Amino acid sequence: MAGNAWRSLLTQAVGVAVRKPALASASFSRGVKTVTMIPGDGIGPEISAAVMKIFEAAKAPITWEERNVTAIKGPGGRWMIPPDAKESMDRSKIGLKGPLKTPIAAGHPSMNLLLRKTFDLYANVRPCVSIEGYKTPYTDVNLVTIRENTEGEYSGIEHMIVDGVVQSIKLITENASRRIAEYAFEYARNNKRTSVTAVHKANIMRMSDGLFLRKCREVAENYKDIKFTEMYLDTVCLNMVQDPTQFDVLVMPNLYGDILSDLCAGLIGGLGVTPSGNIGANGVAIFESVHGTAPDIAGMDLANPTALLLSAVMMLRHMGLHDHADKIQTACFDTIRDKKVLTKDLGGSAKCSEFTAEICRRVQDLDE
Amino acid sequence: MMALILFRTFLTCPDACVFQMVQDPTQFDVLVMPNLYGDILSDLCAGLIGGLGVTPSGNIGANGVAIFESVHGTAPDIAGMDLANPTALLLSAVMMLRHMGLHDHADKIQTACFDTIRDKKVLTKDLGGSAKCSEFTAEICRRVQDLG
């Protein structure tokens, strides 16, 4: 009896560490954080391996849990991501994802859509920074697009009124608008950015974009340290291609974000060098490269891991690990700027493994 | 004689299109699209060539109506001061001539305008020069008469 009482007291005192050893070892042992790694398809596994190697060289306090998210049919016939992948993400809260291919099977959902719905990934964040050594017609680009990713023009609500006349519903809600605006201002503050610009067409779409804009203005009141401006979408595009340096953080509804984020990726050199992060409810965040699986070069040690690496750097900053983030980013940018070891798409002839090794070497040099 | 017109049609989404557009706009020819995408893309492309001060525009209506226009603003700060750049309205007028089938006149005026800008001797302030609107206009007139 006494033994039982003592045991229950002990369990209460030690609490979480005893009942959930996985959580304890992830969170408390030497401050090492667990990240769910989703290598993806095509070149996914090799660029993921490259990132893990570079993180090891940088001694980043990350432990990886590899998972596959290819959709399976759950009970009731609904498509879902495998339970072990969901469990890992719900526990670690942070994911790093390579490119996914959507199987052609009939009725198979888009993998990205499935992930978005599973984790309520409401904000798509793309920092676009010009890479010295990778020349594009635009230099000194340094902006961030923050796209509302759950509603807007992509609500998927369409119907035919009569033959030849179709209506599509753009859904804008107060909650989603406020949520994305709050994220944008928080991001600006945490990353020491000076301004947030709401991109809209409220002159034409008075109620929908008007609501979005109103919420942005309300949230701006709580962030007087950040400059808030508003600009029509077409004016943003006109100005963006003439002088992208005038922009800082841009926040906008779904469709505009889809277009603008790709436009900005084009300014800095394409999807091969653009990082991306998806922020979800409940503290979940998935960082990913947004290029394709490149099946033509998969397994040939030719892939460029830069996009996934910079997404992983975004992830480190999100986790507050700024020193490691800076170190890895510097090593990566220095390698590209020096132009001696570059993958084919960057204009060189190095293998993926050689490019990776060069970054690892520089990371270790930065330590000394 | 029957003229054979070859055309290729592509379908592309606006995000892929703008992505390609800022990296290599030369791959595009004629683009047709619904309202919102057109609002975005037309301004983007105007930006690529230098802005609304040099971009022509035409609006085609039912019943054969067509209205050609410059799409820049009224510029009240320089109104009445002989400083404006008439290029956008002029190129819209050239579009209008082509629409009416008056290709020879259209070519002549466009050539005179482009030659003036290329030579860089007589340019309005927004084009990097210091000439008045009337001087820029007189230069184009001179070249048009030379071409005539």
Side-chain angles (χ1 to χ4, degrees), chain A residues 152-190:
Chain A
E153 300 81 351
Y154 292 165
S155 305
I157 312 166
E158 291 190 319
H159 42 262
M160 183 151 54
I161 311 291
V162 293
D163 224 350
V165 180
V166 172
Q167 224 173 36
S168 185
I169 298 209
K170 166 172 165 162
L171 190 68
I172 297 286
T173 63
E174 191 174 308
N175 284 342
S177 303
R178 191 190 310 112
R179 187 166 64 166
I180 194 74
E182 273 166 358
Y183 180 77
F185 279 95
E186 274 303 313
Y187 181 94
R189 196 178 261 169
N190 295 338

Side-chain angles (χ1 to χ4, degrees), chain A residues 307-323:
Chain A
L308 191 62
L309 185 64
L310 293 179
S311 303
V313 165
M314 247 184 108
M315 178 189 82
L316 287 171
R317 296 197 199 289
H318 177 85
M319 296 159 93
L321 295 166
H322 294 280
D323 287 342

Side-chain angles (χ1 to χ4, degrees), chain B residues 3-94:
Chain B
L4 185 70
I5 302 168
L6 265 156
F7 59 91
R8 295 155 74 198
T9 51
F10 290 108
L11 288 172
T12 185
C13 20
D15 52 341
C17 181
V18 300
F19 177 73
Q20 291 297 335
M21 188 69 81
V22 296
Q23 298 188 77
D24 177 21
T26 65
Q27 58 188 301
F28 295 102
D29 195 348
V30 176
L31 299 142
V32 60
M33 64 216 90
N35 210 333
L36 176 68
Y37 308 153
D39 192 5
I40 298 169
L41 268 175
S42 61
D43 270 18
L44 195 161
C45 295
L48 293 178
I49 63 163
L52 302 182
V54 296
T55 304
S57 178
N59 298 284
I60 310 304
N63 303 318
V65 167
I67 301 183
F68 299 84
E69 58 171 350
S70 54
V71 284
H72 53 66
T74 56
D77 50 328
I78 58 168
M81 292 161 68
D82 197 16
L83 291 172
N85 173 4
T87 303
L89 190 61
L90 185 64
L91 292 178
S92 302
V94 165

